[in-house]
């Protein structure tokens, strides 16, 4: 039945929209119940009484959105796109646990919203702790999500002497606050590369979270897959204890040295990393993969429901209705990791930016870049099209952060910020102290 339905759907897109509407109006064909429960296990030969359901016209339209993809379609899994290395498998597979250091301009709701946490949870947490409205730069939030994208636990590290816990219970969130005597101390760790970076870092005593921070800070300057034995890192971290027990540690600065050059990333008071002169470490991202903004024909929606089957069919990207042949641009500097044809996505491209970010562009007509090629922000990568399973000319565009699809229209992406004025002066004073530590060894 599924197959028949798919074949039927395919036939359906190929009709001109006028005929499609006409057909929809005429349609009163009963569809079998097995569509409603496509996961039924039929192997035990149990008799299933088929009850007809009637598909109304607006349902058919929802099933076949215009200038988008059919709702029952899933795009290729990014697992096949991204060549996994040990950093991915060792470090970033904890997709349900997230942490975020508050930086300038962050608000509690926007931080969680971009990780696609349920709005109800965000509202409830703010309701029970109104102080959530006053996050301070440098504070740390960490949380665990369940399968329904609801928060199970959230920890707000407000200072070295106060930590707040929020745990999901049947009656709502339970808050507990831990006060104590906090202490801070700094530590320098030297990591000499010998074989893999992860093993070298672990050997030197860094934990997974610290390793992740080093990778994040230096992701725009060095490729962690291309290090050489003998290259080394000097890593300055700040450690907090509460009532004598170890709490979190923060990366303050890191220096990477290979035979030809030194690279630095130093954290400013805004929580972000800059180079020694206060310039941002990335050239930033554009919001749209086209020169101008086009109409959104289907928004990002991780909880989209197929109106007929009732199943969750997430839309992991945003669809822009663009005429065939429109230039498609890479939204940031990166490396092409996929440039190929797939039955569902048509001609498509995936680009990896640094280590944390990935963008994907689908249903293209002509591809201009090859796998392995480096691209710049704003570079032409393709012409838009209507290839693969598509119900009209459009670009399906995805943004992934830490292996999770996020809303491309609202995701917080690194910007080309530079520090200026008073902030720069404060930063340069800090840089002097950090550099002194990083060169001590
Ligand atoms: Zn789409």
């Amino acid at each position: 039945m599924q197959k028949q339905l798919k074949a039927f759907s395919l036939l359906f897109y190929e009709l001109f929209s006028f005929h499609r509407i006409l057909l929809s109006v005429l349609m009163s064909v009963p569809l079998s119940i097995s569509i409603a429960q496509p996961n039924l296990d039929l192997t035990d030969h149990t008799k299933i009484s088929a009850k007809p359901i009637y598909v109304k016209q607006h349902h058919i339209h929802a099933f076949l959105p215009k200038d988008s993809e059919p709702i029952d379609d899933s795009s290729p899994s990014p697992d096949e796109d991204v060549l996994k290395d040990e950093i991915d498998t060792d470090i970033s597979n904890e997709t349900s646990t997230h942490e975020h250091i508050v930086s300038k301009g962050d608000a509690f709701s926007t931080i969680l919203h971009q990780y696609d946490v349920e709005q109800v949870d965000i509202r409830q947490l703010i309701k029970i702790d109104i102080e959530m409205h006053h996050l301070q730069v440098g504070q740390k939030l960490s949380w665990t999500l369940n399968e329904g994208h609801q928060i199970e636990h959230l920890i707000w590290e407000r200072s070295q002497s106060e930590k707040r816990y929020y745990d999901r219970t049947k009656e709502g969130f339970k808050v507990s606050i831990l006060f104590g005597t906090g202490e801070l101390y700094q530590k320098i760790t030297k990591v000499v590369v010998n074989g893999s970076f992860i093993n070298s870092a672990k050997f030197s005593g860094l934990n997974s979270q610290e390793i992740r921070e080093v990778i994040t800070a230096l992701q725009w300057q060095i490729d962690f897959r291309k290090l050489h034995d003998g290259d080394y890192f000097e890593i300055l971290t700040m450690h907090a204890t509460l009532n004598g027990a170890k709490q979190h540690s923060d990366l303050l600065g890191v220096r990477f040295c290979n035979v030809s050059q030194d690279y630095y990333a130093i954290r400013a008071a805004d929580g972000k990393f800059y180079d020694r002169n206060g310039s941002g470490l990335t050239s930033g991202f554009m919001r749209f993969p086209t020169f101008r903004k086009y109409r959104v024909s289907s928004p990002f929606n991780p909880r989209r429901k197929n109106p007929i089957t009732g199943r969750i069919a997430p839309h992991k990207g945003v669809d822009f209705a663009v005429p065939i042949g429109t230039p498609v641009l890479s939204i940031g500097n990166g490396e092409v990791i996929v440039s190929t044809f797939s039955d569902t996505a048509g001609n498509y491209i995936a680009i990896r930016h640094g280590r944390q970010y990935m963008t994907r562009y689908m249903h293209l007509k002509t591809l201009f870049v090859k796998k392995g090629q480096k691209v710049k922000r704003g570079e032409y990568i393709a012409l838009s099209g209507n290839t693969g399973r598509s119900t009209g000319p459009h670009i399906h565009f995805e943004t992934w952060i830490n292996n999770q699809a996020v809303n491309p229209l609202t995701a917080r992406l690194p910007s080309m910020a530079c520090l200026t004025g008073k902030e720069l002066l404060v930063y340069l004073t800090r840089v002097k102290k950090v550099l002194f530590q990083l060169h001590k060894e």
Side-chain angles (χ1 to χ4, degrees):
M1 188 63 205
Q2 273 293 86
K3 266 198 178 155
Q4 282 168 3
L5 184 72
K6 276 204 171 160
F8 165 74
S9 309
L10 262 176
L11 187 81
F12 209 68
Y13 322 136
E14 282 160 13
L15 296 173
F16 290 109
S17 55
F18 169 75
H19 292 105
R20 211 190 292 161
I21 292 164
L22 194 70
L23 183 58
S24 305
V25 172
L26 295 173
M27 178 108 55
S28 60
V29 186
L31 293 178
S32 152
I33 193 75
S34 64
I35 310 167
Q37 293 172 310
N39 287 332
L40 278 181
D41 181 10
L42 299 175
T43 51
D44 64 353
H45 305 290
T46 318
K47 272 193 183 169
I48 295 164
S49 59
K51 198 171 141 194
I53 53 166
Y54 290 88
V55 179
K56 287 183 184 147
Q57 183 194 343
H58 67 273
H59 282 159
I60 289 287
H61 280 290
F63 200 54
L64 295 168
K66 202 169 152 16
D67 304 332
S68 189
E69 309 88 19
I71 282 176
D72 63 338
D73 237 3
S74 55
S75 48
S77 157
D79 288 346
E80 295 154 22
D81 291 353
V82 185
L83 184 73
K84 291 270 189 243
D85 58 23
E86 44 139 20
I87 295 177
D88 296 302
T89 44
D90 268 40
I91 297 295
S92 36
N93 55 357
E94 303 146 20
T95 45
S96 58
T97 306
H98 301 275
E99 55 188 35
H100 184 98
I101 293 179
V102 178
S103 64
K104 204 178 161 188
D106 278 344
F108 183 71
S109 56
T110 49
I111 294 168
L112 293 185
H113 186 64
Q114 69 155 323
Y115 285 93
D116 191 41
V117 170
E118 283 275 9
Q119 277 296 340
V120 187
D121 281 5
I122 299 174
R123 275 199 299 271
Q124 265 190 12
L125 284 164
I126 292 175
K127 205 172 155 191
I128 55 167
D129 191 344
I130 193 78
E131 288 186 62
M132 288 278 190
H133 277 306
H134 307 290
L135 294 183
Q136 304 281 324
V137 168
Q139 290 178 337
K140 185 179 263 178
L141 290 169
S142 47
W143 62 94
T144 312
L145 298 181
N146 62 24
E147 283 184 352
H149 276 266
Q150 294 172 312
I151 290 184
E152 277 298 319
H153 317 281
L154 181 133
I155 304 172
W156 178 18
E157 296 180 36
R158 298 191 76 217
S159 67
Q160 67 258 36
S161 55
E162 186 189 338
K163 220 170 167 182
R164 294 188 182 181
Y165 299 81
Y166 308 81
D167 291 293
R168 174 177 292 279
T169 67
K170 277 178 192 154
E171 294 80 37
F173 286 101
K174 196 183 103 223
V175 191
S176 39
I177 302 177
L178 179 67
F179 287 108
T181 322
E183 263 178 52
L184 284 178
Y185 64 94
Q186 292 188 0
K187 195 170 136 189
I188 283 274
T189 309
K190 183 170 182 172
V191 175
V192 181
V193 178
N194 178 16
S196 89
F197 170 67
I198 301 267
N199 286 341
S200 316
K202 282 185 178 163
F203 181 76
S204 308
L206 295 188
N207 64 31
S208 295
Q209 179 239 324
E210 290 162 344
I211 295 171
R212 207 159 37 214
E213 278 203 310
V214 170
I215 293 167
T216 306
L218 283 171
Q219 65 180 319
W220 308 110
Q221 300 180 76
I222 63 172
D223 188 337
F224 281 85
R225 284 168 294 179
K226 291 169 188 161
L227 302 178
H228 297 101
D229 283 1
D231 292 350
Y232 66 94
F233 296 80
E234 300 277 9
I235 297 156
L236 178 64
T237 42
M238 174 78 88
H239 297 258
T241 60
L242 187 56
N243 298 333
K246 267 194 186 174
Q247 301 295 319
H248 73 266
S249 65
D250 285 329
L251 179 64
L252 297 182
V254 53
R255 169 187 176 211
F256 169 70
C257 309
N258 63 20
V259 279
S260 52
Q261 219 180 329
D262 284 10
Y263 299 87
Y264 297 87
I266 295 156
R267 195 193 291 277
D270 66 2
K272 296 173 185 158
F273 288 91
Y274 297 85
D275 71 5
R276 282 176 297 172
N277 309 313
S279 298
L281 298 172
T282 149
S283 59
F285 285 77
M286 307 189 304
R287 184 60 76 186
F288 301 99
T290 43
F291 278 123
R292 67 174 190 83
K293 225 173 128 177
Y294 286 92
R295 180 175 64 85
V296 170
S297 52
S298 178
F300 172 79
N301 184 0
R303 280 179 282 273
R304 180 175 67 173
K305 259 193 188 168
N306 182 321
I308 296 184
T309 63
R311 277 202 302 179
I312 297 278
H315 190 226
K316 292 183 176 168
V318 59
D319 292 336
F320 297 107
V322 292
I324 289 180
T326 305
V328 180
L329 320 171
S330 169
I331 67 155
N333 292 359
E335 183 182 334
V336 177
I337 52 172
V338 179
S339 179
T340 191
F341 177 82
S342 116
D343 290 342
T344 49
N347 287 318
Y348 86 101
I349 291 172
I351 298 176
R352 195 175 204 195
H353 313 273
R355 276 217 73 101
Q356 292 176 287
Y357 305 87
M358 179 178 69
T359 52
R360 305 205 297 169
Y361 314 74
M362 300 182 182
H363 310 294
L364 307 168
K365 183 179 165 218
T366 319
L367 306 177
F368 295 144
V369 290
K370 287 199 172 71
K371 187 179 170 176
Q373 193 175 326
K374 296 263 193 298
V375 289
K376 292 259 179 245
R377 171 183 194 260
E379 189 172 326
Y380 272 31
I381 52 168
L383 293 178
S384 73
N386 187 22
T387 57
R389 298 245 288 147
S390 170
T391 61
H394 78 285
I395 304 171
H396 171 100
F397 172 57
E398 295 177 0
T399 301
W400 292 69
I401 303 180
N402 293 332
N403 303 321
Q404 197 184 340
V406 295
N407 186 346
L409 301 183
T410 55
R412 272 175 71 87
L413 297 168
S415 60
M416 200 177 2
C418 285
L419 294 169
T420 52
K422 202 180 157 203
E423 282 180 336
L424 179 62
L425 291 178
V426 173
Y427 178 73
L428 293 176
T429 316
R430 182 192 279 238
V431 167
K432 252 188 210 165
K433 287 183 195 157
V434 172
L435 286 186
F436 177 73
Q437 301 274 356
L438 292 177
H439 284 269
K440 250 200 302 204
E441 292 283 308

